[in-house]
Amino acid sequence: MRSAAAQPIAEDDAVRERRCIVTGEVLPESRLIRFVVAPDDTVVPDLAASLPGRGMWVAADRTVLERAVAKNRFSKAAKANVHAAADIPQRIEGLLVSRMQSHLGLARRSGALVLGFDTVVQALASKRKPGLLVEASDGAPDGRRKVLAAAHAQGLDLSILDGLAAAELSVAFGRENVIHAALFPGPLAERLMLDAKRLEGFRVRTMTGGAGPIPVPDER
């Protein structure tokens, strides 16, 4: 049986929903990107959904956002002639990565995160269980298998964030060659998961769900 503290972090069921200006689909805000029009009539991404002005919402998906730019959907939504740069999808990806790095750095400084293979494995066996595993996308498969086997040994089925490369994780933590980390449940982990879900639309395999069946190393 899974520990309640180790349950994958879920979105708030009461999260507000918005309509994508491209697909017309109504989605939770956590699966959308908000845009506003700047005073110079350029379209500006508002990932924190805090800038003033009427928001225009687009699904957090590179293909959908490219359609919004190519078909001038922002001008239609704004009911004015506005300019959306062709590189907006690339900018969104970079901004999401920066936000996630900020979340990770803050989590480490606040004690909500453990770093390094040995420390993560120890945390999995401790009383205070992590709620989220962080694995570098370009880390060695053997190391990941060992971490997942340690989680399996504790009866844990954790969510895994694996969309950031080791170099990007290293920037977040201010140290080289970061491959493994784990976050304890809380607001920082929740914010990180939400941005990871949005980044998933701009990168392949940003985040998996629960660890699922975990191959345990043959001890013979």
Side-chain angles (χ1 to χ4, degrees), residues 33 35 45 61-70 74 84-96 199 201-203:
I33 305 292
F35 295 86
D61 181 279
R62 180 182 294 273
T63 302
V64 174
L65 188 50
E66 288 173 346
R67 285 169 55 195
V69 175
F74 289 107
D87 67 346
I88 277 185
Q90 291 79 9
R91 288 168 53 198
I92 293 293
E93 180 180 351
L95 289 169
L96 285 169
L199 183 62
F202 296 87
R203 286 188 171 180

Side-chain angles (χ1 to χ4, degrees), residues 1 5 21 41 48 62 65 78 84 88 93-94 103 110 149 168 174 187 198 201 203 210 217:
M1 181 180 293
I21 65 171
D41 292 329
R62 180 182 294 273
L65 188 50
I88 277 185
E93 180 180 351
H103 297 331
S110 66
E168 292 169 326
R198 292 195 289 178
R203 286 188 171 180

Side-chain angles (χ1 to χ4, degrees), residues 37 59 123 133 179:
V37 179
L133 294 175
I179 305 296

Side-chain angles (χ1 to χ4, degrees), residues 12-212:
D12 183 352
D13 291 337
V15 69
R16 291 181 298 178
E17 295 182 329
R18 304 287 184 176
R19 187 180 300 277
C20 173
I21 65 171
V22 180
T23 67
E25 187 177 5
V26 177
L27 298 168
E29 287 187 5
S30 59
R31 294 176 55 193
L32 297 156
I33 305 292
R34 183 178 187 261
F35 295 86
V36 296
V37 179
D40 62 356
D41 292 329
T42 59
V43 175
V44 177
D46 177 23
L47 298 185
S50 60
L51 294 177
R54 179 176 178 271
M56 298 174 287
W57 299 82
V58 178
D61 181 279
R62 180 182 294 273
T63 302
V64 174
L65 188 50
E66 288 173 346
R67 285 169 55 195
V69 175
K71 296 182 178 296
N72 205 23
R73 294 296 179 87
F74 289 107
S75 290
K76 182 177 180 180
K79 298 180 180 179
N81 187 21
V82 300
H83 174 69
D87 67 346
I88 277 185
Q90 291 79 9
R91 288 168 53 198
I92 293 293
E93 180 180 351
L95 289 169
L96 285 169
V97 170
S98 295
R99 281 173 58 89
M100 292 169 66
Q101 289 171 328
S102 177
H103 297 331
L104 288 167
L106 182 57
R108 186 189 182 197
R109 293 191 296 274
S110 66
L113 176 145
V114 293
L115 191 60
F117 177 84
D118 291 337
T119 308
V120 169
V121 171
Q122 291 170 9
L124 292 170
S126 67
K127 184 176 180 180
R128 184 189 182 196
K129 305 293 187 185
L132 171 66
L133 294 175
V134 178
E135 295 288 326
S137 60
D138 52 352
D142 184 58
R144 179 181 298 203
R145 282 195 295 268
K146 290 178 179 178
V147 170
L148 296 182
H152 179 75
Q154 297 296 321
L156 304 178
D157 182 20
L158 304 183
S159 292
I160 307 164
L161 186 152
D162 61 356
L164 298 179
E168 292 169 326
L169 293 176
S170 297
V171 169
F173 299 123
R175 57 182 290 183
E176 296 182 355
N177 198 32
V178 175
I179 305 296
H180 311 281
L183 278 81
F184 298 108
L188 284 172
E190 292 170 2
R191 289 199 293 270
L192 183 63
M193 288 284 277
L194 292 179
D195 279 336
K197 288 178 182 179
R198 292 195 289 178
L199 183 62
E200 192 173 24
F202 296 87
R203 286 188 171 180
V204 176
R205 199 171 179 268
T206 297
M207 185 182 62
T208 66

